[in-house]
Amino acid sequence: MRDLIPKPLLEILEKEPRLEDSFLVGGCVRDALLGMPIKDFDVEVHGVGYEDLVEALGKWGRADLVGRSFGVVKLTVRGGETYDFAIPRRDSKVAPGHKGFEVEFDPGISRQEAAARRDFTINALMYDPRGDEILDHFGGREDLEKRVLRHTSPAFVEDPLRVLRGMQFAARFELTPAPETVELCRSIREGFHELAKERLREEWFKWAAKSARPSAGLLFLEETGWLDHFPELGALRSTPQDPEWHPEGDVFIHTCHCCDALARLPEWRERNEADRVVYMLGTLCHDLGKPQTTHEKERGGRMRIVSPGHAGVGVDVADSFLKRIDAPQEVRQRVRPLVQCHMAHLDAISDRSVRRLANRLHPETIEGLGLVIVADHMGRPPRPAEAPPTMKELQARARALELEKSAPAPILQGRHLIERGMKPGPEMGALLKSAFEAQLDGEFADLAGGVEWLEGKNRE
């Protein structure tokens, strides 16, 4: 791991006398062992008080006291790199909620005691840069190799958020929870109500942006009983599907397969984090309307399970879930049309339908919708994991119309009407709306055609 440490940080750790008992901790050690890129290097410093730590780091760069209440100093070195240094502490739960902790700094705490306060064994690993040694007090290295998610100590129960952290860790690193950890999580189900919504959002968004196997997180919630706190998702467990079209099982199992299929798509992995969140949440929510619409109906001489209108019904259900996890409005605005339109590739495809679809999707795009549709189609094993031919046709038509990545913009604008002597007001607004509808229908495709359409309206 030594070779992975940035040179400025390694020099500080090796040469600063007051950092002789310091360790890299947490995610950077875990990710190094997994061979994954390391984004943040966190250092835990033993044997030094807070003021001494600030003074020592001040010789190496700008030391900002951004986390004094948590014993954290943020050091910015020449070149702009920033590293967090922290003094080990003891946390004691004294009241409900995420703020109900009494924090006591203890520079003399043992390494094992310091590691014990971390949530999972894979996050309790420490690295000694001077001795070039991994310190593993709780079997985290073996758990990492065997892909096991295991709590570090009984103190796990003091912060219920750790269950949702377990959800996203299971999904990101494809982990299987240890039975004793599952039972511990089940025992603190009521602690969910202590959690602030912004903390829910943070963990769900990590799940949505970083998952390698999203289903591992969803199944973790189910196994621990925490899926009940998200009733929009919980309702999927008992909603059947027609086995001829969906041989994989009920809607919850289908949704798990769909999310995994999306995570495997290079087109999803290559998007920025905000986009990955939107498309994973869109895939998670795409069938939330099925519990309300699913029933049996005779078709082709036999009873079949159908869910007519589930895409439209699912919009409000998806919005309910997104509000529950405190998703911001800009995310909800993008997810809703993905749910609404995830069956659009089954409609007749024409230039008119593509223009109208691109307009309905805004602020999302046909390109983004394609990821959700492909994931939906691939989430039906043992059926072939491939994109539906109709989606390929829809994408090709959208590219030809230059509408794959954007919605159609109105050609006729208010200024064009003002130039022709029309005054702003309700009448102008109604005419512009009619003009845009005509444009979507294909009655004109450029300004000259729009003016001709306008002159025709004036003659009516």
Side-chain angles (χ1 to χ4, degrees):
M1 182 173 174
R2 185 183 184 84
D3 294 338
L4 301 176
I5 303 174
K7 290 183 179 180
L9 177 59
L10 185 60
E11 182 182 11
I12 295 170
L13 295 175
E14 288 184 333
K15 294 184 177 181
E16 173 54 49
R18 280 174 282 190
L19 299 184
E20 63 181 359
D21 197 16
S22 60
F23 308 90
L24 293 176
V25 295
C28 64
V29 184
R30 177 199 65 216
D31 292 349
L33 292 175
L34 288 172
M36 301 177 66
I38 302 173
K39 293 185 178 180
D40 299 305
F41 289 86
D42 296 322
V43 183
E44 189 169 79
V45 184
H46 291 241
V48 176
Y50 189 74
E51 300 301 331
D52 284 342
L53 176 61
V54 173
E55 182 182 343
L57 294 177
K59 297 188 306 183
W60 297 90
R62 189 181 75 243
D64 295 319
L65 315 184
V66 295
R68 189 183 189 96
S69 60
F70 290 97
V72 177
V73 180
K74 192 175 290 292
L75 176 68
T76 303
V77 299
R78 184 180 301 174
E81 297 91 350
T82 300
Y83 311 108
D84 285 354
F85 292 76
I87 295 173
R89 65 181 192 262
R90 302 178 189 272
D91 299 336
S92 301
K93 190 70 176 287
V94 295
H98 68 283
K99 295 183 179 180
F101 286 89
E102 186 176 89
V103 178
E104 177 188 357
F105 303 122
D106 186 354
I109 193 173
S110 72
R111 300 167 185 178
Q112 183 166 345
E113 286 178 297
R117 73 177 182 80
R118 298 189 176 272
D119 48 12
F120 298 101
T121 61
I122 63 171
N123 295 330
L125 295 162
M126 307 170 74
Y127 174 73
D128 177 3
R130 299 196 182 207
D132 190 21
E133 178 187 6
I134 298 286
L135 305 182
D136 181 7
H137 301 288
F138 299 99
R141 195 163 190 172
E142 182 179 358
D143 284 344
L144 201 58
E145 291 171 355
K146 294 182 177 180
R147 290 297 197 272
V148 174
L149 183 69
R150 192 189 315 275
H151 67 282
T152 301
S153 75
F156 181 94
V157 300
E158 293 180 351
D159 187 0
L161 184 72
R162 289 169 169 171
V163 179
L164 293 182
R165 282 172 59 80
M167 169 197 72
Q168 54 103 348
F169 285 136
R172 287 166 60 188
F173 306 119
E174 302 186 67
L175 306 174
T176 299
E180 62 271 25
T181 298
V182 170
E183 287 306 311
L184 203 60
C185 292
R186 293 184 70 87
S187 74
I188 57 173
R189 278 179 293 179
E190 292 309 307
F192 172 83
H193 303 292
E194 298 179 14
L195 302 179
K197 279 195 170 184
E198 60 267 21
R199 303 188 89 198
L200 298 182
R201 179 183 66 237
E202 182 179 351
E203 302 307 323
W204 271 106
F205 276 31
K206 287 179 180 178
W207 172 87
K210 301 180 179 182
S211 286
R213 184 160 55 89
S215 65
L218 299 176
L219 293 170
F220 177 75
L221 290 182
E222 181 184 38
E223 195 173 355
T224 58
W226 279 61
L227 194 66
D228 294 340
H229 294 306
F230 307 98
E232 300 86 358
L233 301 180
L236 302 180
R237 290 179 298 189
S238 56
T239 303
Q241 300 183 112
D242 193 276
E244 183 175 327
W245 183 247
H246 284 284
E248 72 280 2
D250 65 22
V251 182
F252 181 70
I253 295 301
H254 168 63
T255 299
C256 286
H257 284 303
C258 292
C259 291
D260 287 352
L262 181 69
R264 291 192 297 268
L265 293 177
E267 297 87 349
W268 177 80
R269 295 197 300 268
E270 292 166 1
R271 302 300 289 251
N272 62 46
E273 184 170 316
D275 284 350
R276 293 198 306 274
V277 167
V278 166
Y279 301 136
M280 186 60 73
L281 291 176
T283 301
L284 176 67
C285 294
H286 80 283
D287 274 348
L288 292 186
K290 281 188 174 179
Q292 296 183 35
T293 58
T294 297
H295 61 275
E296 285 193 320
K297 182 177 183 179
E298 185 176 353
R299 282 186 180 176
R302 75 170 181 89
M303 298 301 292
R304 295 178 179 269
I305 299 172
V306 296
S307 306
H310 74 273
V313 170
V315 174
D316 287 343
V317 187
D319 208 47
S320 173
F321 168 75
L322 295 172
K323 289 178 181 177
R324 190 180 303 279
I325 66 170
D326 199 38
Q329 179 68 9
E330 58 267 25
V331 171
R332 290 161 44 211
Q333 285 178 334
R334 294 179 65 184
V335 172
R336 285 196 296 260
L338 294 174
V339 174
Q340 173 78 58
C341 300
H342 79 271
M343 305 286 285
H345 64 298
L346 300 179
D347 298 332
I349 298 173
S350 64
D351 287 358
R352 178 183 182 276
S353 71
V354 170
R355 283 191 291 267
R356 289 196 167 274
L357 174 61
N359 186 58
R360 285 199 308 275
L361 281 168
H362 185 74
E364 249 314 308
T365 65
I366 290 176
E367 181 181 55
L369 177 66
L371 293 175
V372 176
I373 290 175
V374 170
D376 182 17
H377 198 263
M378 294 174 69
R380 301 177 299 140
R383 286 179 171 269
E386 58 189 12
T390 50
M391 188 62 225
K392 296 178 182 179
E393 181 183 351
L394 174 59
Q395 290 170 322
R397 188 71 67 98
R399 279 193 292 271
L401 294 172
E402 298 183 351
L403 292 176
E404 190 178 25
K405 298 183 179 182
S406 64
I411 294 173
L412 275 180
Q413 307 270 336
R415 66 178 185 274
H416 299 129
L417 274 60
I418 292 173
E419 289 171 358
R420 285 162 177 76
M422 193 171 190
K423 295 182 179 180
E427 185 179 356
M428 175 184 286
L431 185 56
L432 288 173
K433 184 177 180 180
S434 295
F436 188 51
E437 290 294 321
Q439 175 187 331
L440 295 177
D441 285 340
E443 294 185 34
F444 60 88
D446 53 28
L447 183 57
V451 171
E452 185 177 344
W453 175 89
L454 185 61
E455 290 174 350
K457 292 290 287 186
N458 291 333
R459 290 194 295 269
E460 292 179 0

